[in-house]
């Protein structure tokens, strides 16, 4: 039986716990979610039938503050996946130094198959069913795969019906409803900041550095756009329906417009068509998986040609593939470091909501840069000049911080 995603993430956790010498009881407490909720989400479809979807909210660890993490609408969103993603949020918020725990939610649904009205009803029902667990000081959802600012607007509205106006209950809201300027682009922007720092360390010349990006949703689009603006050559981008390759560089703006008009990448004339799989195996310098989990496995790890990988998606590389790539000296910067920009700006949004104050976008971006690059430096220092991988260093810092607070609170 292959490992589940949660077991896979826990292999990374165990390696960190071993290294930190954590005792068994503490390890169990940190590994397993503190609370899990499964709900049914019945929705009256437009044709009059009722469909019942599975919904989840997993609160993995709340030692360092309110639980925090996105809500995913995806056909693969099951309890195991949501658990895995919730645990990643615990280590991610700790590594970024945010005063939060980790959580994740999900509904097992393909949002592309639902009308706007159906999605609105689904989101409200899901929110009602998890309402007793969330709140500005309890657990603060945000967008993830298949959800966006509109989803957060519905969640905030549904929560507000019985709790009063509560913008701080969700982040990633529309700006008109208390969302933060800069939240939309935050994850991709964070990726671009990390890329520019690691490029300096590795003495990469952006104008000669070829970057391939898998995923052209919110994260992939912003990462591609900002990385192109910084002077790198984005040679390939792929989305759900395939990708485009151009050795001279894809024009990201026109690809964005093409996607806006046609709903996908196929038919784009600014590059040759390539598949998602081909993108991962392309000859390039930097590979950025920015779509879904488990895309680089032991089956294709040996075919990856990039020497640097930035994990903009959550858990895109399985532990087996991670090991194979490490053996080949491919430098991997992990998800909990690279894609933390989203939750970092979620934190800024939450603080703005609590203070009923609004920051200028420039301030948001500057603070984001400071926060994510501080984590990058901490991770780099912890690797001891290459003695351990950035993933091991990141997990060790995250796990150590949570373990410390668990002990301070006197839980164990
Ligand atoms: N869904 C994003 C993540 O995986 C953002 C979570 C948040 O802002 O709370 O990090």
């Amino acid at each position: 039986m292959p490992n589940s995603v949660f077991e896979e993430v826990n292999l990374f956790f165990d390696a960190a716990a071993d290294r930190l010498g954590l005792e068994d009881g503490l390890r169990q407490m940190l590994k397993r979610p503190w609370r899990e909720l499964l709900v049914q989400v019945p929705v009256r479809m437009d044709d009059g039938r009722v469909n019942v979807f599975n919904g989840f909210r997993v609160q993995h660890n709340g030692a360092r503050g309110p639980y925090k993490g996105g809500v995913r609408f995806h056909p693969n969103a099951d309890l195991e996946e949501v658990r895995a993603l919730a645990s990643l949020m615990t280590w991610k918020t700790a590594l970024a130094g945010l005063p939060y725990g980790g959580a994740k939610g999900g509904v097992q649904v393909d949002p592309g198959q639902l009308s706007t009205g159906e999605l609105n009803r689904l989101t409200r029902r899901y929110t009602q069913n998890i309402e007793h667990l969330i709140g500005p000081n309890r657990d603060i959802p945000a967008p993830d795969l298949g959800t966006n600012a509109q989803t957060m607007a519905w969640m905030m509205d549904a929560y507000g019906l019985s709790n009063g106006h509560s913008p701080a209950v969700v982040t990633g809201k529309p700006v008109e409803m208390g969302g933060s300027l800069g939240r939309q682009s935050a994850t991709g922007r964070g990726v671009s900041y990390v890329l520019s720092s690691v490029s300096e360390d590795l003495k990469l010349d952006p104008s000669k550095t070829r970057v391939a990006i898998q995923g052209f949703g919110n994260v992939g689009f912003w990462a591609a756009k900002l990385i192109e603006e910084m002077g790198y050559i984005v040679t390939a981008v792929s989305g759900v329906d395939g990708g485009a390759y151009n050795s001279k560089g894809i024009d990201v703006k026109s690809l964005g417009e093409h996607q806006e008009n046609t709903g996908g990448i196929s038919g784009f004339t600014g590059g040759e068509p390539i598949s998602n799989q081909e993108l991962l195996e392309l000859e390039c310098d930097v590979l950025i998986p920015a779509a879904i989990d488990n895309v680089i496995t032991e089956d294709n790890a040996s075919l990856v040609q990039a020497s640097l990988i930035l994990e903009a998606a959550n858990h895109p590389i399985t532990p087996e593939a991670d090991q194979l790539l490490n053996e080949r000296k491919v430098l991997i910067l992990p998800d909990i470091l690279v894609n933390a920009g989203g939750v970092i700006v979620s934190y800024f949004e939450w603080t703005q909501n609590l203070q009923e104050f609004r920051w200028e976008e420039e301030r948001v971006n500057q603070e984001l840069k400071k926060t994510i690059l501080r984590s990058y430096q901490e991770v780099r220092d912890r690797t001891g000049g290459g003695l351990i991988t950035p993933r091991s260093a990141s997990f060790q810092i995250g796990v150590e911080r949570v373990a410390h607070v668990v002990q301070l609170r006197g839980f164990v």
Side-chain angles (χ1 to χ4, degrees):
M1 265 270 286
N3 286 323
S4 73
V5 210
F6 185 51
E7 285 163 344
E8 285 186 354
V9 172
N10 277 336
L11 292 176
F12 295 140
F13 166 82
D14 279 331
D18 285 347
R19 184 94 181 186
L20 296 168
L22 298 190
E23 58 148 310
D24 201 47
L26 180 58
R27 192 187 283 238
Q28 288 305 320
M29 195 179 161
L30 293 177
K31 196 190 261 194
R32 302 208 314 236
W34 285 15
R35 190 186 279 142
E36 302 184 336
L37 181 66
L38 262 91
V39 294
Q40 54 160 269
V41 187
V43 179
R44 174 80 59 194
M45 308 301 278
D46 292 345
D47 65 6
R49 284 178 307 116
V50 172
N51 269 359
V52 184
F53 299 94
N54 297 318
F56 313 92
R57 184 73 183 169
V58 174
Q59 298 179 330
H60 179 261
N61 189 293
R64 300 183 66 265
Y67 301 98
K68 185 87 190 80
V71 173
R72 162 174 295 208
F73 288 174
H74 195 270
N76 296 346
D78 58 15
L79 190 55
E80 276 294 303
E81 187 190 67
V82 174
R83 253 183 210 144
L85 296 164
S87 70
L88 284 173
M89 289 309 300
T90 300
W91 318 129
K92 192 186 299 185
T93 55
L95 176 62
L98 307 177
Y100 287 138
K104 201 83 175 196
V107 178
Q108 204 161 25
V109 60
D110 180 355
Q113 301 296 318
L114 268 59
S115 69
T116 306
E118 290 165 343
L119 274 175
N120 184 350
R121 295 194 286 281
L122 174 112
T123 306
R124 285 174 186 282
R125 192 53 185 254
Y126 170 70
T127 309
Q128 277 169 5
N129 289 351
I130 65 162
E131 189 189 315
H132 57 296
L133 289 191
I134 61 174
N137 289 309
R138 291 183 180 277
D139 182 353
I140 306 135
D144 196 78
L145 222 66
T147 55
N148 54 26
Q150 174 63 76
T151 322
M152 295 305 113
W154 291 327
M155 285 192 83
M156 173 180 152
D157 187 65
Y159 181 84
L161 289 178
S162 40
N163 296 279
H165 181 65
S166 317
V169 69
V170 287
T171 57
K173 301 175 286 292
V175 173
E176 303 86 325
M177 290 175 70
S180 180
L181 296 168
R183 174 63 184 85
Q184 191 91 17
S185 57
T187 311
R189 193 176 297 276
V191 175
S192 75
Y193 290 148
V194 173
L195 177 60
S196 100
S197 280
V198 69
S199 298
E200 267 176 41
D201 287 343
L202 299 175
K203 306 204 168 25
L204 299 178
D205 173 354
S207 68
K208 298 199 178 77
T209 304
R210 298 157 304 166
V211 184
I213 303 179
Q214 186 192 49
F216 205 53
N218 185 45
V219 177
F221 167 73
W222 280 103
K225 179 172 154 59
L226 296 165
I227 286 170
E228 181 192 43
E229 278 173 17
M230 284 160 57
Y232 294 83
I233 322 162
V234 178
T235 50
V237 174
S238 68
V240 230
D241 65 336
Y245 169 77
N246 185 332
S247 61
K248 300 208 166 53
I250 299 278
D251 180 346
V252 177
K253 186 162 171 270
S254 55
L255 181 59
E257 283 163 5
H258 177 84
Q259 173 159 275
E260 190 91 15
N261 297 333
T262 65
I265 291 184
S266 78
F268 178 64
T269 49
E272 299 158 36
I274 52 162
S275 71
N276 263 294
Q277 204 52 39
E278 284 164 343
L279 181 133
L280 298 171
E281 299 162 11
L282 243 143
E283 197 193 317
C284 64
D285 304 297
V286 184
L287 176 61
I288 305 187
I292 50 168
D293 47 44
N294 285 333
V295 292
I296 304 178
T297 66
E298 54 192 330
D299 297 333
N300 61 356
S302 61
L303 302 172
V304 169
Q305 299 194 53
S307 53
L308 173 63
I309 303 180
L310 268 66
E311 293 185 335
N314 287 314
H315 197 67
I317 302 181
T318 65
E320 296 82 5
D322 189 60
Q323 197 174 339
L324 292 169
L325 292 163
N326 288 334
E327 281 162 13
R328 283 177 40 211
K329 303 271 175 274
V330 176
L331 184 66
I332 304 171
L333 298 184
D335 44 10
I336 59 172
L337 167 67
V338 171
N339 73 26
V343 72
I344 291 171
V345 175
S346 275
Y347 166 60
F348 300 153
E349 178 172 329
W350 181 72
T351 57
Q352 291 172 70
N353 295 153
L354 295 178
Q355 296 176 1
E356 300 187 30
F357 188 70
R358 187 181 285 290
W359 296 5
E360 305 275 337
E361 182 163 358
E362 207 185 313
R363 176 170 175 199
V364 172
N365 293 342
Q366 264 172 13
E367 294 280 342
L368 163 61
K369 187 172 189 177
K370 217 163 62 187
T371 311
I372 201 161
L373 293 188
R374 191 194 314 123
S375 298
Y376 173 77
Q377 301 292 351
E378 285 168 346
V379 169
R380 199 188 58 180
D381 293 350
R382 187 73 171 237
T383 60
L387 291 177
I388 58 171
T389 63
R391 189 187 311 278
S392 304
S394 301
F395 270 79
Q396 282 175 36
I397 297 172
V399 172
E400 184 174 70
R401 287 182 181 164
V402 181
H404 182 58
V405 175
V406 162
Q407 283 165 324
L408 279 177
R409 280 182 182 261
F411 292 150
V412 286

